[in-house]
Amino acid sequence: MKKQQHTAFYITHNEDKDLLMQNLAKRNIFDFLPPLTTLKGEVFSNKTLQYFIDEELRHDHFEITAGMRNKLSLSSSGEQRKALLSYIVAKKTDYIVVDNVFDSLDKATRQTILLSLDQLAKDILLIQIFSRKDELLPCVETIYIINGNATSSKLNRDEFAKRALVNLDDIFVGNIPPPPKTYILQSNPLVKMKDVEVAFNGRAVLQKICWEINCGEFWQLIGPNGSGKSTLLSLITGDSSKGYGQDLVLFGNKKGTGETVWEIKAKIGYFTPAMIQQFERQDSIEQMIISGFFDSVGLYIHPSDIQLQLAGEWLKLIGMYQDRLKPFRMFPEGKQRMILIVRAMVKHPPLLILDEPTAGLDEEMAMLFTALINKIAAETSTTILYVSHKEEPGLSPDKIFELISTPNGAIGKIVK
Protein backbone atom coordinates (compact mmCIF):
# COMPACT_ATOMS: atom_id res chain seq x y z
CA MET A 1 0.00 0.00 0.00
CA LYS A 2 1.31 3.42 -0.96
CA LYS A 3 2.32 5.54 2.01
CA GLN A 4 -0.03 8.45 2.71
CA GLN A 5 1.24 11.96 2.16
CA HIS A 6 1.29 14.21 5.19
CA THR A 7 -1.39 16.85 4.66
CA ALA A 8 -2.33 20.19 6.19
CA PHE A 9 -5.48 22.32 6.24
CA TYR A 10 -5.09 26.10 6.49
CA ILE A 11 -8.18 27.56 8.12
CA THR A 12 -9.07 31.16 9.02
CA HIS A 13 -11.36 32.64 11.66
CA ASN A 14 -14.21 32.80 9.15
CA GLU A 15 -14.41 29.04 8.70
CA ASP A 16 -15.99 26.22 10.71
CA LYS A 17 -13.28 24.03 12.21
CA ASP A 18 -15.79 21.63 13.77
CA LEU A 19 -17.26 20.99 10.33
CA LEU A 20 -13.78 20.29 8.95
CA MET A 21 -13.19 17.78 11.76
CA GLN A 22 -16.48 16.05 10.96
CA ASN A 23 -15.59 15.86 7.28
CA LEU A 24 -12.20 14.35 8.06
CA ALA A 25 -13.76 11.71 10.28
CA LYS A 26 -16.81 10.79 8.19
CA ARG A 27 -16.26 11.70 4.54
CA ASN A 28 -13.55 10.87 2.02
CA ILE A 29 -13.41 14.28 0.29
CA PHE A 30 -9.71 15.04 0.60
CA ASP A 31 -8.08 12.33 -1.56
CA PHE A 32 -6.91 10.12 1.33
CA LEU A 33 -6.29 6.60 0.07
CA PRO A 34 -7.33 4.49 1.85
CA PRO A 35 -10.06 6.72 3.36
CA LEU A 36 -9.51 7.87 6.92
CA THR A 37 -12.77 6.15 7.86
CA THR A 38 -10.95 2.83 7.46
CA LEU A 39 -8.05 3.87 9.69
CA LYS A 40 -7.60 4.41 13.42
CA GLY A 41 -6.98 8.04 14.30
CA GLU A 42 -6.51 10.38 17.26
CA VAL A 43 -6.82 14.16 17.66
CA PHE A 44 -4.12 16.29 19.28
CA SER A 45 -5.86 19.59 20.13
CA ASN A 46 -6.80 22.06 22.83
CA LYS A 47 -10.26 20.53 22.89
CA THR A 48 -8.81 17.08 23.58
CA LEU A 49 -6.64 18.49 26.35
CA GLN A 50 -9.61 20.27 27.87
CA TYR A 51 -11.58 17.01 27.92
CA PHE A 52 -8.91 15.28 30.02
CA ILE A 53 -8.53 18.33 32.29
CA ASP A 54 -12.30 18.37 32.85
CA GLU A 55 -12.18 14.65 33.71
CA GLU A 56 -9.59 15.48 36.38
CA LEU A 57 -11.51 18.37 37.87
CA ARG A 58 -15.02 16.94 37.70
CA HIS A 59 -14.51 13.22 38.23
CA ASP A 60 -11.05 12.96 39.80
CA HIS A 61 -10.11 10.70 36.88
CA PHE A 62 -6.42 10.86 35.88
CA GLU A 63 -5.91 9.18 32.52
CA ILE A 64 -2.91 11.33 31.57
CA THR A 65 -0.14 12.55 33.88
CA ALA A 66 2.24 15.40 33.11
CA GLY A 67 5.51 16.73 34.47
CA MET A 68 6.57 16.63 38.09
CA ARG A 69 3.15 17.63 39.38
CA ASN A 70 1.35 14.83 37.48
CA LYS A 71 -2.00 16.62 37.21
CA LEU A 72 -2.71 18.10 33.78
CA SER A 73 -4.67 20.94 35.39
CA LEU A 74 -1.58 22.03 37.37
CA SER A 75 0.88 21.69 34.49
CA SER A 76 2.14 24.25 32.01
CA SER A 77 0.94 24.32 28.39
CA GLY A 78 4.16 22.66 27.28
CA GLU A 79 3.92 19.86 29.85
CA GLN A 80 0.29 19.26 28.90
CA ARG A 81 1.08 18.94 25.20
CA LYS A 82 4.05 16.63 25.76
CA ALA A 83 1.90 14.39 27.97
CA LEU A 84 -0.98 14.30 25.47
CA LEU A 85 1.36 13.46 22.59
CA SER A 86 2.94 10.58 24.58
CA TYR A 87 -0.54 9.31 25.45
CA ILE A 88 -1.65 9.35 21.79
CA VAL A 89 1.52 7.69 20.50
CA ALA A 90 1.12 4.87 23.03
CA LYS A 91 -2.26 4.05 21.45
CA LYS A 92 -0.46 2.96 18.22
CA THR A 93 -2.75 4.91 15.92
CA ASP A 94 -2.64 5.06 12.10
CA TYR A 95 -2.91 8.83 11.91
CA ILE A 96 -2.93 11.90 14.17
CA VAL A 97 -4.79 15.12 13.52
CA VAL A 98 -2.75 17.94 15.09
CA ASP A 99 -4.77 21.12 15.57
CA ASN A 100 -2.89 24.40 16.20
CA VAL A 101 -0.28 22.35 17.99
CA PHE A 102 2.00 25.30 18.86
CA ASP A 103 -0.57 27.48 20.66
CA SER A 104 0.85 29.28 23.73
CA LEU A 105 4.19 27.45 23.61
CA ASP A 106 7.58 29.06 24.17
CA LYS A 107 10.36 28.60 21.62
CA ALA A 108 12.08 25.73 23.44
CA THR A 109 8.87 23.73 23.90
CA ARG A 110 7.82 24.41 20.30
CA GLN A 111 11.13 22.94 19.15
CA THR A 112 10.70 19.86 21.37
CA ILE A 113 7.17 19.22 20.03
CA LEU A 114 8.37 19.84 16.46
CA LEU A 115 11.17 17.28 16.80
CA SER A 116 8.74 14.73 18.27
CA LEU A 117 6.30 15.21 15.39
CA ASP A 118 9.11 15.01 12.84
CA GLN A 119 10.11 11.64 14.29
CA LEU A 120 6.50 10.42 14.33
CA ALA A 121 6.08 11.42 10.68
CA LYS A 122 8.35 8.54 9.68
CA ASP A 123 5.75 5.99 10.79
CA ILE A 124 2.41 7.76 11.33
CA LEU A 125 0.30 9.88 8.98
CA LEU A 126 0.11 13.47 10.25
CA ILE A 127 -2.82 15.71 9.33
CA GLN A 128 -2.22 19.30 10.44
CA ILE A 129 -4.85 21.99 11.00
CA PHE A 130 -3.18 25.39 11.33
CA SER A 131 -3.81 29.13 11.10
CA ARG A 132 -0.31 30.65 10.90
CA LYS A 133 1.91 30.22 7.85
CA ASP A 134 5.07 29.95 9.96
CA GLU A 135 3.64 26.90 11.81
CA LEU A 136 3.44 24.56 8.80
CA LEU A 137 5.13 21.27 9.70
CA PRO A 138 8.25 20.42 7.62
CA CYS A 139 6.89 16.98 6.70
CA VAL A 140 3.72 18.32 5.06
CA GLU A 141 3.62 18.07 1.27
CA THR A 142 0.03 19.09 0.46
CA ILE A 143 -1.94 22.05 1.84
CA TYR A 144 -5.68 22.60 1.44
CA ILE A 145 -7.12 26.11 1.88
CA ILE A 146 -10.47 25.73 3.60
CA ASN A 147 -13.33 27.86 2.32
CA GLY A 148 -16.72 27.10 3.85
CA ASN A 149 -17.79 23.50 3.27
CA ALA A 150 -15.22 23.01 0.54
CA THR A 151 -11.66 23.91 -0.40
CA SER A 152 -10.75 26.92 -2.48
CA SER A 153 -7.39 25.48 -3.50
CA LYS A 154 -4.93 22.62 -3.08
CA LEU A 155 -1.31 23.76 -2.98
CA ASN A 156 2.17 22.37 -2.57
CA ARG A 157 4.63 23.91 -0.09
CA ASP A 158 6.17 26.38 -2.56
CA GLU A 159 2.78 27.59 -3.80
CA PHE A 160 1.53 28.06 -0.24
CA ALA A 161 4.64 30.01 0.79
CA LYS A 162 4.00 32.54 -1.99
CA ARG A 163 0.36 33.07 -0.99
CA ALA A 164 -0.16 36.73 -0.04
CA LEU A 165 -1.81 37.92 3.16
CA VAL A 166 -4.83 40.21 3.18
CA ASN A 167 -4.00 43.93 3.27
CA LEU A 168 -5.42 45.38 6.49
CA ASP A 169 -4.44 49.05 6.16
CA ASP A 170 -6.76 51.54 7.89
CA ILE A 171 -8.58 48.79 9.77
CA PHE A 172 -10.25 50.89 12.45
CA VAL A 173 -11.81 54.17 11.39
CA GLY A 174 -12.38 56.81 14.07
CA ASN A 175 -11.16 57.25 17.62
CA ILE A 176 -11.54 55.10 20.72
CA PRO A 177 -14.89 56.00 22.40
CA PRO A 178 -14.55 58.06 25.60
CA PRO A 179 -14.77 56.59 29.11
CA PRO A 180 -18.10 56.63 31.00
CA LYS A 181 -16.32 58.02 34.09
CA THR A 182 -12.85 58.95 35.31
CA TYR A 183 -11.13 56.69 37.81
CA ILE A 184 -9.53 58.50 40.74
CA LEU A 185 -6.38 56.60 41.70
CA GLN A 186 -4.64 57.16 44.98
CA SER A 187 -1.11 56.94 43.65
CA ASN A 188 1.32 55.85 41.02
CA PRO A 189 2.51 53.12 40.41
CA LEU A 190 -0.58 51.00 39.79
CA VAL A 191 1.30 47.85 40.77
CA LYS A 192 4.45 47.59 42.85
CA MET A 193 6.22 44.40 43.88
CA LYS A 194 9.36 44.25 45.98
CA ASP A 195 11.07 40.90 46.61
CA VAL A 196 7.78 39.03 46.11
CA GLU A 197 8.13 35.26 46.40
CA VAL A 198 5.63 32.44 45.82
CA ALA A 199 5.88 28.71 46.52
CA PHE A 200 3.36 25.88 46.31
CA ASN A 201 3.76 22.79 48.49
CA GLY A 202 7.40 23.65 49.08
CA ARG A 203 8.16 24.20 45.39
CA ALA A 204 9.40 27.71 44.61
CA VAL A 205 7.61 29.39 41.68
CA LEU A 206 8.63 33.07 41.91
CA GLN A 207 11.81 34.40 43.52
CA LYS A 208 12.35 38.02 44.69
CA ILE A 209 10.23 39.64 41.97
CA CYS A 210 10.66 43.43 41.82
CA TRP A 211 8.39 45.21 39.32
CA GLU A 212 6.59 48.53 39.01
CA ILE A 213 3.78 49.18 36.54
CA ASN A 214 2.91 52.86 36.14
CA CYS A 215 -0.13 54.62 34.73
CA GLY A 216 -0.37 54.67 30.95
CA GLU A 217 2.45 52.18 30.29
CA PHE A 218 2.22 49.32 27.78
CA TRP A 219 3.97 46.21 29.11
CA GLN A 220 4.50 42.76 27.66
CA LEU A 221 5.09 39.89 30.09
CA ILE A 222 7.13 37.04 28.61
CA GLY A 223 8.71 33.84 29.88
CA PRO A 224 8.85 30.12 29.08
CA ASN A 225 6.01 27.71 29.83
CA GLY A 226 5.84 26.98 33.55
CA SER A 227 7.88 30.05 34.56
CA GLY A 228 5.07 31.51 36.68
CA LYS A 229 3.34 34.04 34.40
CA SER A 230 -0.12 32.88 35.49
CA THR A 231 0.93 32.98 39.15
CA LEU A 232 2.22 36.54 38.71
CA LEU A 233 -1.06 37.59 37.08
CA SER A 234 -3.08 36.07 39.93
CA LEU A 235 -1.19 38.32 42.35
CA ILE A 236 -2.10 41.41 40.32
CA THR A 237 -5.79 40.48 39.91
CA GLY A 238 -6.12 39.68 43.62
CA ASP A 239 -7.09 36.05 42.95
CA SER A 240 -4.08 34.61 44.79
CA SER A 241 -3.84 34.53 48.59
CA LYS A 242 -0.04 34.38 48.18
CA GLY A 243 0.05 38.18 48.02
CA TYR A 244 -0.81 38.59 51.69
CA GLY A 245 2.11 39.46 53.96
CA GLN A 246 4.28 40.57 51.04
CA ASP A 247 5.47 43.93 49.79
CA LEU A 248 2.78 44.13 47.13
CA VAL A 249 0.86 47.33 46.35
CA LEU A 250 -2.19 47.30 44.06
CA PHE A 251 -3.77 50.61 43.01
CA GLY A 252 -2.26 52.47 45.96
CA ASN A 253 -3.16 49.92 48.65
CA LYS A 254 -0.83 47.38 50.19
CA LYS A 255 -2.22 43.88 49.81
CA GLY A 256 -4.13 42.88 52.92
CA THR A 257 -4.90 46.37 54.25
CA GLY A 258 -8.66 46.10 53.81
CA GLU A 259 -9.37 46.16 50.07
CA THR A 260 -11.60 43.40 48.67
CA VAL A 261 -10.91 41.29 45.60
CA TRP A 262 -13.91 42.94 43.94
CA GLU A 263 -12.55 46.43 44.58
CA ILE A 264 -9.34 45.35 42.83
CA LYS A 265 -11.18 43.70 39.93
CA ALA A 266 -13.33 46.81 39.41
CA LYS A 267 -10.16 48.61 38.26
CA ILE A 268 -9.07 45.82 35.89
CA GLY A 269 -10.27 44.82 32.45
CA TYR A 270 -9.27 41.21 31.78
CA PHE A 271 -9.30 38.94 28.76
CA THR A 272 -8.08 35.42 28.08
CA PRO A 273 -9.41 33.13 25.30
CA ALA A 274 -10.69 30.64 27.91
CA MET A 275 -13.29 33.25 28.96
CA ILE A 276 -15.36 32.47 25.87
CA GLN A 277 -16.58 29.24 27.48
CA GLN A 278 -18.12 31.22 30.37
CA PHE A 279 -20.64 32.94 28.12
CA GLU A 280 -23.25 30.33 27.20
CA ARG A 281 -26.32 32.57 27.26
CA GLN A 282 -27.92 33.93 24.09
CA ASP A 283 -26.95 37.56 24.78
CA SER A 284 -26.47 39.83 21.79
CA ILE A 285 -23.04 41.31 21.18
CA GLU A 286 -24.42 44.69 22.24
CA GLN A 287 -25.51 43.16 25.57
CA MET A 288 -22.14 41.45 25.93
CA ILE A 289 -20.28 44.74 25.63
CA ILE A 290 -22.66 46.56 28.00
CA SER A 291 -22.14 43.79 30.59
CA GLY A 292 -18.54 45.03 30.79
CA PHE A 293 -19.78 48.11 32.66
CA PHE A 294 -21.01 45.78 35.42
CA ASP A 295 -18.34 43.03 35.24
CA SER A 296 -21.15 40.49 34.94
CA VAL A 297 -21.41 37.29 32.90
CA GLY A 298 -24.45 38.39 30.93
CA LEU A 299 -26.60 41.51 31.22
CA TYR A 300 -29.18 41.60 34.02
CA ILE A 301 -29.66 45.37 34.38
CA HIS A 302 -31.45 47.74 31.99
CA PRO A 303 -28.64 49.83 30.44
CA SER A 304 -28.58 53.61 30.49
CA ASP A 305 -28.68 55.71 27.32
CA ILE A 306 -24.97 56.55 27.66
CA GLN A 307 -24.06 52.87 28.02
CA LEU A 308 -26.05 52.01 24.88
CA GLN A 309 -24.38 54.88 23.04
CA LEU A 310 -20.84 53.88 24.06
CA ALA A 311 -21.44 50.23 23.19
CA GLY A 312 -22.66 51.35 19.75
CA GLU A 313 -19.57 53.51 19.21
CA TRP A 314 -17.26 50.60 20.07
CA LEU A 315 -19.16 48.30 17.71
CA LYS A 316 -18.85 50.89 14.92
CA LEU A 317 -15.10 51.09 15.60
CA ILE A 318 -14.63 47.33 15.09
CA GLY A 319 -17.06 47.21 12.14
CA MET A 320 -19.80 45.16 13.85
CA TYR A 321 -22.51 47.73 14.59
CA GLN A 322 -24.84 46.27 11.98
CA ASP A 323 -24.67 42.94 13.85
CA ARG A 324 -25.26 44.40 17.32
CA LEU A 325 -28.50 42.47 17.97
CA LYS A 326 -27.14 39.10 16.84
CA PRO A 327 -26.25 36.47 19.50
CA PHE A 328 -22.64 36.40 20.66
CA ARG A 329 -22.55 32.59 20.32
CA MET A 330 -23.21 32.69 16.55
CA PHE A 331 -19.93 34.46 15.71
CA PRO A 332 -16.61 32.67 14.99
CA GLU A 333 -14.12 32.61 17.85
CA GLY A 334 -11.90 35.35 16.44
CA LYS A 335 -14.77 37.85 16.43
CA GLN A 336 -15.94 36.62 19.84
CA ARG A 337 -12.48 37.47 21.21
CA MET A 338 -12.62 40.93 19.64
CA ILE A 339 -15.99 41.55 21.32
CA LEU A 340 -14.65 40.38 24.70
CA ILE A 341 -11.64 42.69 24.45
CA VAL A 342 -14.02 45.60 23.78
CA ARG A 343 -16.10 44.37 26.76
CA ALA A 344 -12.96 44.48 28.95
CA MET A 345 -12.10 47.97 27.71
CA VAL A 346 -15.54 49.64 27.54
CA LYS A 347 -15.22 51.23 31.00
CA HIS A 348 -11.62 52.36 30.33
CA PRO A 349 -10.20 50.51 33.35
CA PRO A 350 -6.91 51.73 34.87
CA LEU A 351 -5.35 48.35 33.94
CA LEU A 352 -6.15 46.10 30.97
CA ILE A 353 -4.72 42.56 31.12
CA LEU A 354 -4.62 40.56 27.88
CA ASP A 355 -3.53 36.96 28.48
CA GLU A 356 -2.47 35.22 25.24
CA PRO A 357 -5.18 37.05 23.23
CA THR A 358 -3.93 35.91 19.79
CA ALA A 359 -3.25 32.24 20.58
CA GLY A 360 -4.74 30.07 17.83
CA LEU A 361 -5.72 32.97 15.57
CA ASP A 362 -4.83 33.21 11.90
CA GLU A 363 -2.58 35.99 10.61
CA GLU A 364 -5.43 38.26 9.54
CA MET A 365 -7.23 38.15 12.89
CA ALA A 366 -3.96 38.48 14.82
CA MET A 367 -3.17 41.62 12.82
CA LEU A 368 -6.60 43.02 13.73
CA PHE A 369 -5.96 42.36 17.42
CA THR A 370 -2.51 43.93 17.25
CA ALA A 371 -3.87 47.05 15.55
CA LEU A 372 -6.65 47.40 18.15
CA ILE A 373 -4.27 46.96 21.11
CA ASN A 374 -1.84 49.52 19.67
CA LYS A 375 -4.75 51.93 19.15
CA ILE A 376 -5.92 51.52 22.76
CA ALA A 377 -2.36 52.15 23.95
CA ALA A 378 -2.01 55.27 21.82
CA GLU A 379 -5.41 56.89 22.47
CA THR A 380 -6.26 56.07 26.10
CA SER A 381 -4.69 56.38 29.55
CA THR A 382 -5.32 52.71 30.31
CA THR A 383 -2.22 50.74 31.31
CA ILE A 384 -1.84 47.55 29.25
CA LEU A 385 -0.30 44.29 30.38
CA TYR A 386 0.00 41.95 27.39
CA VAL A 387 1.00 38.38 28.22
CA SER A 388 2.49 36.21 25.48
CA HIS A 389 5.77 34.68 24.46
CA LYS A 390 4.84 34.99 20.80
CA GLU A 391 6.22 38.11 19.13
CA GLU A 392 3.34 39.47 17.09
CA PRO A 393 4.51 41.53 14.09
CA GLY A 394 3.61 45.18 14.61
CA LEU A 395 2.88 44.99 18.35
CA SER A 396 4.46 47.99 20.08
CA PRO A 397 4.86 47.54 23.87
CA ASP A 398 6.82 50.25 25.70
CA LYS A 399 8.50 47.79 28.05
CA ILE A 400 9.02 44.04 28.45
CA PHE A 401 9.25 42.13 31.73
CA GLU A 402 10.74 38.64 31.42
CA LEU A 403 10.48 35.71 33.83
CA ILE A 404 13.54 33.46 33.75
CA SER A 405 13.20 29.96 35.19
CA THR A 406 15.74 28.78 37.80
CA PRO A 407 15.76 25.72 40.14
CA ASN A 408 14.75 28.07 42.97
CA GLY A 409 11.82 29.71 41.16
CA ALA A 410 11.63 32.25 38.34
CA ILE A 411 13.42 35.57 38.62
CA GLY A 412 12.31 38.67 36.76
CA LYS A 413 14.08 41.35 34.78
CA ILE A 414 13.21 44.26 32.53
CA VAL A 415 14.57 43.56 29.04
CA LYS A 416 13.23 46.69 27.32
Side-chain angles (χ1 to χ4, degrees):
M1 181 175 65
K2 184 180 178 181
K3 186 177 179 180
Q4 298 262 27
Q5 284 192 344
H6 302 298
T7 301
F9 295 87
Y10 181 78
I11 187 166
T12 70
H13 64 279
N14 293 314
E15 310 306 336
D16 190 337
K17 187 185 293 186
D18 289 337
L19 179 61
L20 171 60
M21 289 289 198
Q22 293 171 15
N23 287 337
L24 284 172
K26 298 179 181 179
R27 302 170 62 192
N28 185 31
I29 60 175
F30 296 114
D31 301 332
F32 288 110
L33 294 172
L36 297 183
T37 51
T38 67
L39 303 176
K40 179 182 176 183
E42 296 288 337
V43 177
F44 181 111
S45 70
N46 286 334
K47 186 174 288 189
T48 307
L49 267 176
Q50 193 58 51
Y51 167 79
F52 287 110
I53 292 171
D54 288 345
E55 285 294 296
E56 280 188 2
L57 298 176
R58 296 177 183 176
H59 307 296
D60 209 27
H61 177 64
F62 302 91
E63 192 164 346
I64 302 178
T65 57
M68 295 184 296
R69 286 169 286 180
N70 294 322
K71 290 185 178 181
L72 278 177
S73 56
L74 297 179
S75 302
S76 69
S77 297
E79 291 171 335
Q80 289 174 350
R81 280 169 168 73
K82 291 175 188 176
L84 178 61
L85 188 58
S86 296
Y87 172 81
I88 288 175
V89 171
K91 300 186 78 170
K92 300 187 182 302
T93 186
D94 296 314
Y95 70 90
I96 302 174
V97 178
V98 291
D99 175 17
N100 282 342
V101 65
F102 300 115
D103 274 6
S104 304
L105 296 183
D106 58 61
K107 291 181 180 179
T109 307
R110 284 167 63 103
Q111 187 62 23
T112 298
I113 295 292
L114 183 61
L115 291 173
S116 297
L117 291 173
D118 192 49
Q119 188 65 30
L120 283 173
K122 298 176 181 178
D123 304 303
I124 299 174
L125 170 65
L126 297 184
I127 301 171
Q128 183 183 16
I129 298 174
F130 71 119
S131 303
R132 300 287 188 108
K133 292 180 71 173
D134 62 354
E135 294 183 352
L136 180 64
L137 294 174
C139 63
V140 168
E141 299 149 350
T142 302
I143 301 99
Y144 289 95
I145 310 298
I146 298 301
N147 183 10
N149 194 21
T151 56
S152 61
S153 54
K154 177 182 177 182
L155 310 175
N156 60 36
R157 291 187 68 90
D158 290 339
E159 292 168 335
F160 180 75
K162 296 174 183 176
R163 185 173 178 268
L165 292 175
V166 176
N167 186 357
L168 295 175
D169 290 339
D170 300 322
I171 303 168
F172 302 109
V173 179
N175 297 321
I176 296 287
K181 69 174 185 178
T182 301
Y183 284 88
I184 301 175
L185 300 176
Q186 295 182 6
S187 67
N188 208 6
L190 293 184
V191 177
K192 182 178 180 180
M193 301 179 184
K194 184 177 180 181
D195 294 332
V196 169
E197 299 191 331
V198 175
F200 293 100
N201 299 320
R203 187 182 70 87
V205 177
L206 299 175
Q207 176 192 169
K208 293 189 178 300
I209 299 297
C210 296
W211 189 17
E212 287 191 8
I213 301 175
N214 293 298
C215 294
E217 293 178 338
F218 181 4
W219 283 89
Q220 182 170 0
L221 173 62
I222 64 175
N225 295 117
S227 61
K229 295 190 298 298
S230 295
T231 299
L232 193 56
L233 285 185
S234 70
L235 293 173
I236 295 172
T237 60
D239 290 320
S240 175
S241 60
K242 299 291 184 178
Y244 290 105
Q246 303 217 49
D247 196 347
L248 170 62
V249 177
L250 301 174
F251 305 103
N253 297 306
K254 186 173 181 179
K255 180 68 175 176
T257 57
E259 85 290 357
T260 68
V261 171
W262 300 113
E263 287 172 333
I264 295 171
K265 289 183 179 297
K267 299 180 179 73
I268 297 175
Y270 183 81
F271 171 76
T272 184
M275 289 177 62
I276 290 174
Q277 306 308 317
Q278 300 175 18
F279 298 93
E280 298 180 350
R281 292 159 44 97
Q282 289 301 309
D283 294 290
S284 69
I285 61 174
E286 180 182 66
Q287 291 172 319
M288 288 290 295
I289 290 174
I290 293 172
S291 73
F293 291 112
F294 309 103
D295 296 315
S296 60
V297 180
L299 185 62
Y300 306 94
I301 299 174
H302 186 72
S304 67
D305 290 342
I306 187 64
Q307 289 165 349
L308 281 166
Q309 178 186 332
L310 290 174
E313 290 178 12
W314 275 101
L315 285 167
K316 289 176 183 176
L317 179 72
I318 63 173
M320 297 184 69
Y321 181 76
Q322 70 279 5
D323 297 322
R324 64 191 181 281
L325 301 181
K326 294 181 180 179
F328 172 76
R329 300 299 303 178
M330 73 165 285
F331 290 92
E333 184 174 341
K335 290 190 175 181
Q336 287 180 341
R337 292 192 197 184
M338 185 74 73
I339 293 162
L340 287 181
I341 286 184
V342 169
R343 175 185 177 273
M345 188 59 205
V346 69
K347 61 182 182 181
H348 285 240
L351 177 62
L352 176 65
I353 298 177
L354 303 171
D355 188 1
E356 298 284 359
T358 62
L361 295 181
D362 60 81
E363 280 99 346
E364 179 182 333
M365 204 69 204
M367 289 168 66
L368 282 169
F369 273 66
T370 298
L372 180 60
I373 294 165
N374 285 339
K375 189 174 181 69
I376 291 170
E379 297 182 16
T380 76
S381 60
T382 291
T383 301
I384 298 176
L385 176 52
Y386 180 97
V387 186
S388 177
H389 21 183
K390 187 174 182 64
E391 296 180 5
E392 289 292 355
L395 190 70
S396 306
D398 301 319
K399 300 180 179 181
I400 297 175
F401 190 81
E402 181 179 12
L403 289 177
I404 302 168
S405 298
T406 79
N408 298 314
I411 60 174
K413 72 173 184 177
I414 298 173
V415 295
K416 177 182 176 182

